[in-house]
């Protein structure tokens, strides 16, 4: 979908022109990307990306001033954070993949550097959001770099995620 972004944490952002799979919780999707946090930024509070609207969606954000893990949070019907979705405590390149499996279980899985990092079940039906916003949220922006942002209209297998991670390791040391 996109590649080679550098976000200053102040004004930079990318917004998709139309809704893509990750806005809809009724269909399976995977979002995969490389990211590198700027740990010299003045605040640890940041949002990597979101589909958030007043009525639904999700966001991937570091909600406090500490430079630590990013939370994946579903906005509606109630605010449901699924903690520690991907790591964010260093200035190294990392590969992240977040998958959403709808249905009775409503499972979010996150992978960091090709390894399963977190699994979370959502107890309530989630509401679809809006277009994908990269590098910003409603209140905070991301300071750092992103590369090779991909959106899939299906849940990638663990083997496919490892393959994508291995394919990008050489260009993201």
């Amino acid at each position: 979908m996109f590649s080679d972004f550098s976000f200053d944490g102040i004004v930079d952002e990318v917004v998709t022109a139309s809704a893509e799979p990750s806005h809809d919780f009724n269909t399976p999707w995977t979002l995969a990307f490389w990211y590198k946090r700027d740990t010299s930024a003045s605040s640890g509070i940041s949002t990597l990306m979101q589909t958030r609207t007043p009525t639904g969606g999700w966001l991937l954000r570091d909600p406090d001033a500490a430079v630590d893990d990013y939370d994946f949070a579903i906005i509606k019907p109630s605010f449901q954070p699924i903690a520690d979705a991907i790591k964010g405590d260093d200035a190294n390149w990392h590969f992240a993949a977040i998958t959403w499996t709808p249905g009775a279980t409503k499972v979010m899985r996150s992978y960091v550097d090709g390894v399963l990092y977190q699994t979370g079940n959502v107890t309530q039906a989630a509401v679809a959001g809006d277009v994908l916003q990269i590098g910003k949220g409603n209140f905070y922006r991301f300071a750092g770099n992103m590369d090779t942002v991909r959106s899939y209209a299906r849940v990638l297998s663990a083997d496919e995620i490892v393959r994508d991670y291995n394919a990008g390791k050489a260009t993201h040391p």
Side-chain angles (χ1 to χ4, degrees):
M1 181 190 300
F2 302 103
S3 63
D4 296 332
F5 298 121
S6 180
F7 298 102
D8 63 6
I10 301 169
V11 296
D12 298 331
E13 67 184 74
V14 174
V15 179
T16 57
S18 62
E20 44 76 55
S22 71
H23 93 286
D24 188 357
F25 290 107
N26 294 309
T27 62
W29 52 262
T30 300
L31 191 63
F33 56 96
W34 284 90
Y35 67 102
K36 180 179 178 180
R37 186 175 194 156
D38 178 359
T39 56
S40 67
S42 60
S43 173
I45 300 172
S46 65
T47 301
L48 274 85
M49 52 185 70
Q50 71 172 21
T51 64
R52 179 180 192 164
T53 67
T55 58
W58 59 264
L59 70 153
L60 182 62
R61 50 86 193 254
D62 178 3
D64 55 32
V67 178
D68 56 7
D69 293 349
Y70 292 96
D71 292 352
F72 181 86
I74 295 172
I75 307 305
K76 296 286 182 184
S78 62
F79 196 82
Q80 303 172 51
I82 302 172
D84 301 343
I86 61 174
K87 63 193 290 185
D89 59 354
D90 61 38
N92 299 322
W93 279 106
H94 294 285
F95 178 74
I98 298 173
T99 67
W100 173 257
T101 304
T105 56
K106 301 174 190 74
V107 176
M108 184 280 307
R109 287 186 177 84
S110 64
Y111 298 79
V112 176
D113 298 335
V115 177
L116 181 64
Y117 189 68
Q118 182 72 261
T119 299
N121 291 70
V122 177
T123 57
Q124 301 176 16
V127 179
D130 203 353
V131 297
L132 179 63
Q133 299 177 29
I134 304 169
K136 82 175 275 285
N138 286 4
F139 305 105
Y140 301 102
R141 295 175 182 268
F142 174 66
N145 298 292
M146 283 192 206
D147 193 17
T148 320
V149 178
R150 295 181 182 144
S151 177
Y152 299 88
R154 65 185 181 88
V155 173
L156 293 184
S157 70
D159 288 342
E160 290 173 307
I161 290 168
V162 169
R163 181 204 62 209
D164 284 357
Y165 167 65
N166 287 330
K169 280 194 310 187
T171 55
H172 302 93

